[in-house]
Amino acid sequence: MIKQLEQSEKRKVIFSGIQPSGVFTLGNYLGAIVNWTRLQHEYDCCYCVVDLHALTVRQDPRDLRKRTVESLALLLACGLDPELNTIYVQSHVPAHAELAWILNCYTYMGELGRMTQFKEKSRKHSENINVGLFAYPALMAADILLYQADLVPVGADQKQHLELTRDIALRFNALYGDVFTVPDAYIPKAGARVMSLQDPESKMSKSDENPNGYVSLTDPADVIVKKFRRAVTDSDGEVRFSPDKPGVSNLLNIYCAAAGRTPEQAEAEFSGLGYKELKERVAEAVVEILKPVQAEFARLTADKAYLEGVMRDNAGRAARVAARTLKKVQKKVGLVLKTD
């Protein structure tokens, strides 16, 4: 019997959080979630729908609730087993917010001010530069450190936040002893960065103002095909990987991840063919891998009782693990522990 996160003493712990966008992109799927399904057999994995992080941007309450449940359902539809992993909603485990406050007191203003994401979101949401947006990395550190995570799957653009998490953990440990496990990055070699179909210099994102720039996991097949037909390439017509061909390289990367090809195999397969054939085959490969995901997502979202049970049971499991770390931290900093 495979041990659960709260029971295991041998397997390394992996933590990752994902924003409740409601519908994940192909970039989320190929860049992270596909890899998560492999990791669940080798590690104790904790996957969190980070709804508290989402509050740094103004949300429609009803829409946020809907997207949070859909995000969890999509994780399950993509192949994450709630019996092998701990899959839960962040706000269902109050220890995240409690530890975040304590870590705020061990995080420096200059460190938070240097965060690239804070600068970018401040520019995009200049009317709402709130304290939560500034302190976001401290909450992210709490997310990770609560579960004594050994590894955190991150893209290259997220390493800055993980480095701050490591700095906070090392600082706290230097003051109070070995309280936190200092996490390392887990960066998969393939499929780590799927770029926008319209701006291949930027990462594929649901927040892209151009809907043709991203593929949602629930996009119908005809919509997916249209988006790939409109994908940006270049004018020389040659299908090959090259730094000066970001659009073509992005399509080839997606094809490799979706069709299970190596870069060398993909280049050979498209040798002598044009961009039309490339786009069509990439679209076909993507449609094919998303079919079972979409079918399972439809089944799960129709079973409200099952999803509520998964959220309740997994949040309880996560809370028991988190409580151990939180009590240790509270004791170290001098708080009076509540008696049961």
Side-chain angles (χ1 to χ4, degrees), residues 40-58:
Q40 67 186 342
H41 300 289
E42 304 171 29
Y43 300 90
D44 283 328
C45 299
C46 189
Y47 297 123
C48 179
V49 180
V50 290
D51 55 340
L52 294 177
H53 285 294
L55 297 179
T56 59
V57 177
R58 291 287 178 263

Side-chain angles (χ1 to χ4, degrees), residues 5 53 159 219 277:
L5 174 63
H53 285 294
K159 288 185 68 177
D219 277 344
E277 292 85 355

Side-chain angles (χ1 to χ4, degrees), residues 158-312:
Q158 297 172 315
K159 288 185 68 177
Q160 189 184 34
H161 281 165
L162 182 58
E163 286 301 319
L164 179 58
T165 297
R166 287 173 52 84
D167 290 343
I168 295 170
L170 289 168
R171 182 177 302 142
F172 199 92
N173 288 352
L175 290 169
Y176 302 110
D178 293 330
V179 178
F180 295 125
T181 298
V182 181
D184 290 315
Y186 182 95
I187 304 176
K189 294 180 180 179
R193 283 179 68 82
V194 176
M195 313 306 285
S196 166
L197 299 181
Q198 292 299 310
D199 179 13
E201 301 286 355
S202 301
K203 187 177 178 181
M204 182 179 285
S205 171
K206 185 69 165 61
S207 62
D208 194 328
E209 294 181 359
N210 187 343
N212 289 314
Y214 61 88
V215 172
S216 295
L217 296 196
T218 56
D219 277 344
D222 61 329
V223 172
I224 294 173
V225 171
K226 287 178 182 177
K227 288 184 177 181
F228 276 105
R229 285 176 179 168
R230 295 167 180 164
V232 169
T233 50
D234 53 47
S235 59
D236 76 6
E238 185 179 0
V239 180
R240 59 182 172 82
F241 282 101
S242 176
D244 62 351
K245 297 172 70 67
V248 174
S249 296
N250 185 41
L251 291 174
L252 285 170
N253 276 326
I254 293 171
Y255 185 72
C256 288
R261 304 288 198 274
T262 66
E264 295 76 17
Q265 288 171 333
E267 281 193 335
E269 187 172 337
F270 290 103
S271 178
L273 299 179
Y275 294 160
K276 180 180 179 181
E277 292 85 355
L278 172 65
K279 293 178 180 182
E280 287 177 353
R281 291 196 192 177
V282 176
E284 289 171 3
V286 169
V287 168
E288 195 61 30
I289 63 167
L290 292 187
K291 278 182 181 178
V293 173
Q294 294 178 351
E296 181 66 0
F297 177 69
R299 186 188 72 81
L300 288 170
T301 51
D303 193 344
K304 184 178 179 181
Y306 174 74
L307 289 177
E308 288 178 347
V310 168
M311 286 190 287
R312 180 181 60 253

